[in-house]
């Protein structure tokens, strides 16, 4: 497994996502996944205070607690892994009463995550959503940037980084990252770091994969020029690219099935549209026509982008994770990359 620098920390160039741990993925299976990932050289684990997803008050912080229990049960493991967590934005609902991140609650939120994780440091601490609003999670169709003035946003950023600088100085956080951010927002946070002396952005965790390539233009240029690494979540479009939802099928224990059981729409966060299913079917057909597993091809695509990118791979079961890990040696040749370009032109932003 190759390694990448994120500011002062070094991580594996594939990240294990854990958002199902503690509910859809039970403790034993979660432990097995972390063991398997670490054995394969994946030492970078991503979590959040408001996991598992979909969020429920009864499960708030559960994923961090599962990781903390694993660390406690594996002497020496903490020094072998890098842990990323997130503080919820103001729409976090069940996180600290929905308070979001403000200068006066950053330190307390960090301490809460540290307690649940059973550790003295978080390697990468991320803001889960922009406070000012954003266009992630299918909000791009109706995005309105007029929610707050530039001056107010910059004042808030300066105040947040001033407090984060104290947390970093105390050794509780090593690096700072964003999530669900825009190009302007990322550059604004970089500017705030210059003004305040606070931690500089080293990563941005945005949705990215063959079916969702909004990062490819403005954000890709920011990432490449400013040395900000994309942590790409949902590279498999929440499972669409596995082919298991072909024809609108919803398998038992799948993410869509879980969402439906809990009264949600069961459409994979707006991804399971008619065009999304058509594009997913086309991806599976294209990959198999190239002699590639469609799952392996999607993860390899993210790893070979011309800007710094680390895919976040996640699984409900250890068997699913084993299949993902088995494909990490796949490299896409020029013919495969050309076929993916043709696929993207035929199926741009299908949801």
């Amino acid at each position: 497994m190759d390694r990448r620098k994120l500011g002062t920390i070094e991580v594996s160039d594939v990240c294990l996502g854990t958002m199902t741990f503690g509910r859809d993925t039970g403790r034993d299976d979660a432990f097995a996944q972390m063991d398997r990932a670490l054995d394969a050289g994946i030492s970078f684990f991503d979590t959040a205070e408001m996991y598992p997803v979909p969020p429920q008050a009864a499960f708030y912080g559960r994923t961090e607690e599962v990781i903390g229990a694993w660390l406690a049960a594996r002497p020496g493991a903490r020094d072998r892994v890098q842990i990323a967590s997130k503080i919820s934005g103001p729409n976090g609902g069940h996180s600290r009463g929905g308070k979001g991140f403000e200068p006066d609650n950053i330190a307390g939120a960090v301490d809460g995550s540290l307690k649940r994780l059973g550790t003295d440091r978080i390697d990468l601490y991320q803001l889960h959503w922009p406070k000012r609003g954003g266009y992630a999670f299918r909000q791009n169709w109706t995005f309105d940037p007029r929610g707050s003035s530039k001056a107010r946003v910059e004042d808030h950023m300066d105040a947040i980084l001033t407090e984060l600088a104290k947390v970093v100085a105390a050794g509780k956080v090593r690096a700072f990252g964003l999530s669900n951010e825009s190009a302007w927002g990322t550059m604004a946070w970089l500017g705030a770091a210059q003004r305040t002396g606070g931690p500089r952005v080293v990563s941005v965790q945005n949705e990215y994969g063959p079916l969702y390539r909004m990062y490819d233009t403005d954000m890709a240029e920011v990432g490449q020029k400013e040395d900000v690494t994309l942590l790409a979540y949902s590279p498999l479009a929440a499972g669409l690219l596995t082919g298991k939802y072909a024809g609108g099928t919803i398998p038992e224990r799948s993410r869509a099935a879980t969402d439906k059981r809990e009264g949600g729409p069961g459409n994979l966060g707006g991804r399971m549209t008619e065009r999304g299913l058509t594009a997913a079917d086309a991806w599976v057909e294209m990959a198999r026509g190239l002699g590639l597993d469609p799952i392996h091809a999607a993860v390899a695509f993210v790893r070979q982008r011309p800007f710094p990118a680390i895919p976040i791979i996640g699984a409900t079961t250890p068997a699913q994770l084993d299949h993902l890990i088995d494909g990490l040696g796949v490299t896409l040749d020029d013919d495969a990359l050309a076929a993916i370009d043709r696929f993207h032109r035929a199926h741009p932003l299908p949801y």
Side-chain angles (χ1 to χ4, degrees), residues 24-37:
D24 300 326
T25 302
R27 175 179 164 133
D28 290 347
D29 277 359
F31 277 30
Q33 285 196 37
M34 289 183 277
D35 289 340
R36 179 72 176 93

Side-chain angles (χ1 to χ4, degrees), residues 268-292:
L268 301 178
R271 299 175 181 91
M272 193 185 286
T273 64
E274 182 178 348
R275 291 178 62 236
L277 288 166
T278 297
D281 289 345
W283 175 266
V284 171
E285 182 180 359
M286 179 206 69
R288 289 176 176 163
L290 292 167
L292 296 168

Side-chain angles (χ1 to χ4, degrees), residues 16 33-34 36-37 313 315 317-326:
L16 177 67
Q33 285 196 37
M34 289 183 277
R36 179 72 176 93
I313 61 172
T317 68
Q320 290 171 339
L321 181 63
D322 284 342
H323 184 71
L324 282 159
I325 289 173
D326 287 345

Side-chain angles (χ1 to χ4, degrees), residues 200-216:
R200 187 182 191 275
V201 174
V202 301
S203 64
V204 57
Q205 185 174 149
N206 281 12
E207 181 174 356
Y208 186 77
L211 294 192
Y212 191 84
R213 295 180 56 173
M214 289 187 70
Y215 193 95
D216 272 336

Side-chain angles (χ1 to χ4, degrees), residues 22 36 45-46 48 74 124 131 141 204 220 262 316 325 332:
R36 179 72 176 93
F45 298 173
D46 178 70
R74 304 290 189 270
L124 176 66
K131 181 185 178 183
W141 302 107
V204 57
E262 294 172 356
T316 302
I325 289 173
L332 302 175

